[in-house]
């Protein structure tokens, strides 16, 4: 890592850096499948992976039906949150932007509560779709509110609209769950932010959205670089700023919406990973986006593995681990790094 | 009110405390489950009680002015069959008590179980709404302890009711005690027919599986004392010792012959539902075999309720296969 930091902005060093991150991600993914709160021998894990059939033993079931989907979900969700954060920070020119302050979490929560109270539905598999719809609805609402007025959806108006929508939807959720114990209990589980208890159906449900969103996101590097210079300059360079913003928000809605739907609101990743990426590769979004895409799942999976091995036979939710480990890391970046403006 | 404070302006003997028969005068004392001795000048008459504690008092003819429960009173196992007309409902959700409404009732006593593991009374534990805790400022809080036996609770509330002036010689009360003795005898006989049977008290949740620690579940300690082999988990959570928390990877850590399923979430289809939802639930052989029954978790306060629940458990024990978990 030191080598990367010392040669931050030279493109020739950045491509191999990306390859190194790819290898690190593979190692962390391997850890995520082989380590956990249950003690399973390495040979047994590899045997299960090799045969890819559930022979009925608990160790095989845990490997194939719990750890593999969890790891794949962690990679996709982590990548999605990292990239969504990077795009939001770029498009709103706000270094503190992430999916949370754009109303995504509160929108998802309202829809989950609606599913529980009004429709009487239960189960993570059902909440996914309501959370997804809620996240997208909230983001559309934020964008629509920010677009009112002559100058359109400026970064400041987006931030204000996001805060207002978050507050409004948050109080709506609180109002409903105050009068409904069931909804409160169900929401509590969903709101922690966890990779536990999510299995293959959820993975296969959200994977298409996440993969499509991740591929689409890579096209935004150049336009985000333009926006970083300011809207007027971006226009002067021939960019259609309004269209860029709408498209970027669309991609973010799909990425963060699907990720939040699958795992609940996971903090820290979307906010901090883009800064880590900038720290490594400089201000060029053509590099920030792929760096975020690999760095974020490394951070998420590593935090999840830590949460799974520290308190066996119990586990800590990844949201808790990220909160505990994330804050000092973030302070370190701000204090010692060059936290460049988004 | 089914009893009235006798207006005797003066002259009551200062030593005349709890336990006197008839309509008692003041002062009044009661030893709380925490060991603290609570004293008041007059015998309390306006009582606010937590759900099960209220049900116990009502069974002795003492009607609280207000109750607070951890779930809607229509489904609360202690309250659902009681006539609550004239009693203010101050809460129907764990951790949330309408203290303003409670204050308007001008209570002179709050009755709530003492939980030794948390060192707090019901409704005032860590994690509840901060506003709820203000309930304790309205009046003294007393209760029996959620200690080593349901009988501690049943006898504790009988003593409390008596000190408040209730007549505890109602034939129905004696009848319930007799019924309880019979249920215990029948339960012991049922357990004796299955010497190898082991049971585990569990509460599965979306992110993990909770295994109950009998040490902090009086009814499970009672079942153990009646001969049932309730498995003691070997690593209960240190901060919240009611449970050992198992990740879903470790759901099969214990292999009982019969699952006692937390009654607050048990339904006839729960076992099949969780088997479908969680890949490792059916790795517990008893779950795979459908050997699961409701466990009356943390709610019983009277001989009568315990007798009724014991009879159900006796039936389940007799029908159980003691070799499933082997």
């Amino acid at each position: 890592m030191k080598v990367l930091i010392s040669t931050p902005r030279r493109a020739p060093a950045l491509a191999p850096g990306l390859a190194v991150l790819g290898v690190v991600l593979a190692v962390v993914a391997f850890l995520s499948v082989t380590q956990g709160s249950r003690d399973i021998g390495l040979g047994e894990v590899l045997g299960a992976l090799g045969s890819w059939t559930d022979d009925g033993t608990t160790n095989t079931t845990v490997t194939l039906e719990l750890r593999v989907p969890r790891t794949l979900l962690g990679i996709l969700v982590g990548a999605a949150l990292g990239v969504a954060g990077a795009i939001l920070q770029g498009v709103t020119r706000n270094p503190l932007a992430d999916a949370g302050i754009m109303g995504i979490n509160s929108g998802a929560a309202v829809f989950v509560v609606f599913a529980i109270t009004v429709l009487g539905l239960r189960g993570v598999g059902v909440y996914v779709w309501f959370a997804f719809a809620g996240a997208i609805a909230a983001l559309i609402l934020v964008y629509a509110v920010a677009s009112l007025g002559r100058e359109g959806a400026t970064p400041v108006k987006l931030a204000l609209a996001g805060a207002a929508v978050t507050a409004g939807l948050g109080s709506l959720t609180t109002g409903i769950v105050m009068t409904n114990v069931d909804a409160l209990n169900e929401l509590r589980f969903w709101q922690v932010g966890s990779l536990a208890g999510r299995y293959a159906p959820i993975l296969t449900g959200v994977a298409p959205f996440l993969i499509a969103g991740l591929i689409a996101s890579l096209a935004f590097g150049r336009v985000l670089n333009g926006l970083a210079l300011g809207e007027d300059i971006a226009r002067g360079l021939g960019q259609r700023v309004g269209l860029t913003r709408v498209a970027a928000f669309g991609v973010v809605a799909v990425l963060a919406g699907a990720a939040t739907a699958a795992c609940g609101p996971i903090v820290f990743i979307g906010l901090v990973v883009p800064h880590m990426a900038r720290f490594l590769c400089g201000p060029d979004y053509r590099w920030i986006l792929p760096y975020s895409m690999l760095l974020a799942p490394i951070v998420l999976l590593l935090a999840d593995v830590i949460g799974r091995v520290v308190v066996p036979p119990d586990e800590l939710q990844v949201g808790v681990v990220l909160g505990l480990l994330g804050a000092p890391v973030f302070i370190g970046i701000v204090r010692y790094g060059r936290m460049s403006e988004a | 009110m089914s009893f009235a404070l006798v207006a005797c302006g003066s002259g009551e003997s200062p030593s005349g405390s709890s336990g006197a028969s008839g309509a008692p005068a003041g002062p009044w004392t009661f030893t709380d489950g925490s060991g603290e001795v609570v004293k008041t000048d007059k015998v309390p008459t306006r009582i606010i009680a937590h759900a099960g504690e209220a049900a116990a008092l009502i069974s002795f003819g003492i009607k609280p002015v207000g109750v607070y429960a951890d779930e809607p009173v229509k489904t609360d196992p202690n309250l659902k069959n009681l006539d609550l007309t004239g009693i203010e409902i101050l809460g129907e959700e764990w951790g949330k008590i309408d203290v303003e409404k409670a204050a308007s009732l001008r209570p002179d006593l709050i009755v709530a179980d003492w939980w030794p593991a948390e060192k707090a009374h019901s409704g005032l534990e860590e994690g509840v709404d901060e506003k709820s805790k203000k309930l304790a400022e309205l009046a003294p809080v007393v209760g029996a302890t959620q200690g080593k036996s349901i009988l501690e609770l049943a006898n504790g509330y009988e003593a409390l009711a008596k000190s408040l002036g209730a007549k505890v010689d109602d034939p129905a009360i004696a009848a319930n005690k007799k019924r309880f003795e019979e249920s215990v005898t029948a339960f012991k006989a049922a357990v004796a027919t299955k010497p190898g049977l082991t049971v585990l008290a569990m509460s599965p949740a979306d992110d993990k599986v909770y295994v109950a620690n009998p040490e902090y579940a009086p009814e499970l300690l009672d079942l153990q004392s009646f001969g049932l082999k309730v498995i003691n988990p070997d690593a209960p959570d240190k901060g919240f010792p009611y449970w050992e928390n198992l990740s879903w990877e470790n759901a099969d850590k214990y292999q009982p012959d019969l699952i006692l399923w937390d009654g607050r979430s048990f339904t006839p289809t729960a076992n099949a539902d969780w088997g479908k939802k969680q890949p490792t639930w059916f790795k517990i052989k008893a779950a795979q075999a459908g050997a699961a029954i409701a466990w009356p978790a943390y709610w019983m306060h009277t001989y009568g309720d315990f007798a009724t629940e014991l009879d159900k458990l006796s039936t389940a024990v007799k029908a159980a296969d003691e070799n499933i978990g082997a």
Side-chain angles (χ1 to χ4, degrees):
Chain A
M1 299 295 263
K2 194 76 186 165
V3 178
L4 291 175
I5 295 167
S6 62
T7 57
R9 290 178 202 203
R10 255 174 272 149
L14 290 176
L18 215 48
V20 170
L21 286 183
V23 173
V24 173
L25 178 57
V27 171
V28 174
F30 180 75
L31 283 178
S32 172
V33 176
T34 53
Q35 304 299 311
S37 53
R38 186 186 184 87
D39 209 0
I40 307 178
L42 186 59
E44 238 178 313
V45 173
L46 296 178
L49 292 174
S51 69
W52 204 253
T53 44
D54 194 340
D55 60 7
T57 64
T58 310
N59 285 349
T60 310
T61 303
V62 166
T63 304
L64 297 181
E65 293 187 48
L66 267 56
R67 289 188 186 171
V68 169
R70 180 179 191 147
T71 303
L72 294 175
L73 194 63
I75 292 173
L76 287 176
V77 164
L81 291 173
V83 166
I87 293 180
L88 272 179
Q89 288 175 12
V91 86
T92 62
R93 301 222 317 280
N94 176 354
L96 292 177
D98 76 343
I101 74 159
M102 287 294 134
I104 294 227
N105 297 339
S106 52
V110 165
F111 272 50
V112 168
V113 166
F114 173 80
I116 297 167
T117 52
V118 181
L119 305 177
L121 298 169
R122 288 288 181 284
V124 183
V126 180
Y127 303 153
V128 166
W129 303 112
F130 283 89
F132 199 3
I136 289 177
L139 210 52
I140 291 172
L141 183 62
V142 167
Y143 197 85
V145 171
S147 301
L148 295 176
R150 216 167 24 143
E151 58 285 2
T154 61
V156 171
K157 282 166 73 185
L158 278 170
L160 291 175
V165 167
T166 300
L169 295 179
S171 48
L172 191 61
T173 304
T174 310
I176 299 173
V177 297
M178 287 273 274
T179 59
N180 188 311
V181 195
D182 258 13
L184 181 71
N185 289 335
E186 291 285 319
L187 193 70
R188 236 179 237 156
F189 163 69
W190 185 81
Q191 263 185 337
V192 176
S194 172
L195 289 167
R198 274 83 172 173
Y199 308 116
I202 289 182
L203 173 67
T204 51
V206 296
F209 296 97
L210 294 174
I211 291 170
L214 286 171
I215 293 170
S217 71
L218 291 174
F220 282 86
R222 205 180 54 81
V223 290
L224 289 177
N225 281 344
L227 276 183
L229 300 171
E231 278 178 35
D232 294 338
I233 295 178
R235 278 204 191 84
L237 291 171
Q239 258 191 47
R240 298 162 72 182
V241 172
L243 191 68
T244 303
R245 258 200 307 247
V246 170
F249 263 70
V251 171
V252 168
V254 170
L255 286 174
T260 305
C263 300
I266 290 181
V267 293
F268 181 75
I269 296 276
L271 176 64
V272 173
V273 166
H275 291 290
M276 294 168 75
R278 252 178 236 118
F279 184 79
L280 292 177
C281 65
D284 185 344
Y285 273 95
R286 284 172 300 180
W287 290 107
I288 290 175
L289 291 174
Y291 265 71
S292 297
M293 198 180 287
L294 292 176
L295 269 174
I298 291 172
V299 173
L300 183 64
L301 280 186
L302 210 52
D304 191 44
V305 170
I306 290 171
R308 288 155 60 194
V309 298
V310 285
V311 288
D314 197 2
E315 290 178 356
L316 288 179
Q317 290 98 337
V318 69
V320 175
V321 179
L322 282 172
L324 288 175
L325 297 183
V329 171
F330 189 45
I331 292 170
I333 290 177
V334 174
R335 179 71 184 78
Y336 299 107
R338 303 157 285 115
M339 189 167 134
S340 41
E341 288 285 313
Chain B
M1 299 298 291
S2 56
F3 66 109
L5 179 64
V6 175
C8 42
S10 62
E12 64 267 42
S13 84
S15 60
S17 61
S18 66
S21 62
W28 174 85
T29 67
F30 186 78
T31 306
D32 178 48
S34 65
E36 191 192 338
V37 178
V38 175
K39 284 186 187 155
T40 61
D41 293 340
K42 289 192 276 186
V43 177
T45 57
R46 299 185 63 79
I47 296 162
I48 288 176
H50 182 242
E53 298 82 313
L57 291 178
I58 291 169
S59 78
F60 297 113
I62 291 184
K63 192 171 173 185
V65 292
V67 301
Y68 60 98
D70 301 335
E71 59 177 299
V73 293
K74 284 198 183 71
T75 57
D76 184 288
N78 282 300
L79 300 174
K80 61 183 178 189
N81 297 322
L82 295 179
D83 177 13
L84 299 178
T85 44
I87 301 177
E88 283 287 345
I89 310 298
L90 304 170
E92 296 190 277
E93 181 185 331
W94 188 86
K96 290 198 192 301
I97 303 168
D98 187 339
V99 176
E100 254 178 71
K101 208 195 232 181
S104 74
L105 296 174
R106 291 175 291 107
D108 49 17
L109 188 67
I110 314 288
V111 176
D113 291 342
W114 172 257
W115 296 85
E118 292 163 275
K119 298 198 171 31
H121 289 96
S122 295
L124 307 169
E125 304 100 326
E126 194 174 321
V128 303
D129 259 17
E130 278 307 307
K131 275 184 283 178
S132 296
K133 290 190 179 171
K134 295 209 179 293
L135 182 73
E137 295 168 15
L138 301 179
V141 186
V142 299
T145 181
Q146 282 273 0
K148 301 300 173 199
S149 169
I150 294 297
L151 304 190
E152 266 184 72
L153 291 168
N155 295 334
Y157 287 109
E158 183 171 332
L160 175 63
K162 208 170 156 190
S163 79
L164 293 169
K167 289 206 204 74
V168 294
D169 51 5
D170 189 307
I173 297 168
N176 272 335
K177 281 186 188 165
K178 183 157 177 297
R179 188 161 69 88
F180 171 75
E181 294 305 330
E182 289 163 3
S183 297
V184 171
T185 308
F187 182 76
K188 285 179 175 167
V191 171
T193 65
K194 309 277 172 167
L197 187 77
T198 58
V199 307
L200 186 65
M202 307 182 81
S203 188
D206 278 329
D207 54 346
K208 52 185 84 170
V209 186
Y210 297 91
V211 172
N213 179 10
E215 191 62 26
Y216 290 100
E219 68 279 355
L220 295 179
L221 284 178
D222 283 329
L223 296 183
Q224 285 181 333
S225 77
F226 300 153
L228 185 64
K229 293 190 189 69
V230 185
I231 296 170
N232 291 307
D234 49 37
D237 187 84
K238 286 190 188 66
F240 202 66
Y242 300 99
W243 310 96
E244 176 176 37
N245 309 334
L246 301 178
S247 72
W248 275 107
E249 291 196 359
N250 292 303
D252 67 345
K253 178 173 176 184
Y254 303 101
Q255 288 290 354
D257 301 307
L258 178 65
I259 293 168
L260 295 184
W261 192 306
D262 192 331
R264 293 167 293 187
S265 60
F266 181 79
T267 64
T269 59
N271 186 54
D273 293 344
W274 282 89
K276 240 181 272 164
K277 198 155 75 168
Q278 293 289 348
T280 51
W281 179 246
F282 279 168
K283 300 298 175 186
I284 306 166
K285 294 172 196 165
Q288 170 76 40
I293 51 150
W295 148 44
Y298 311 104
W299 66 265
M300 296 183 294
H301 285 78
T302 64
Y303 283 94
D305 284 335
F306 201 1
T308 306
E309 295 299 322
L310 267 180
D311 290 347
K312 290 184 209 165
L313 292 169
S314 294
T315 311
V317 165
K318 272 187 268 185
D321 175 350
E322 55 185 320
N323 297 313
I324 291 178

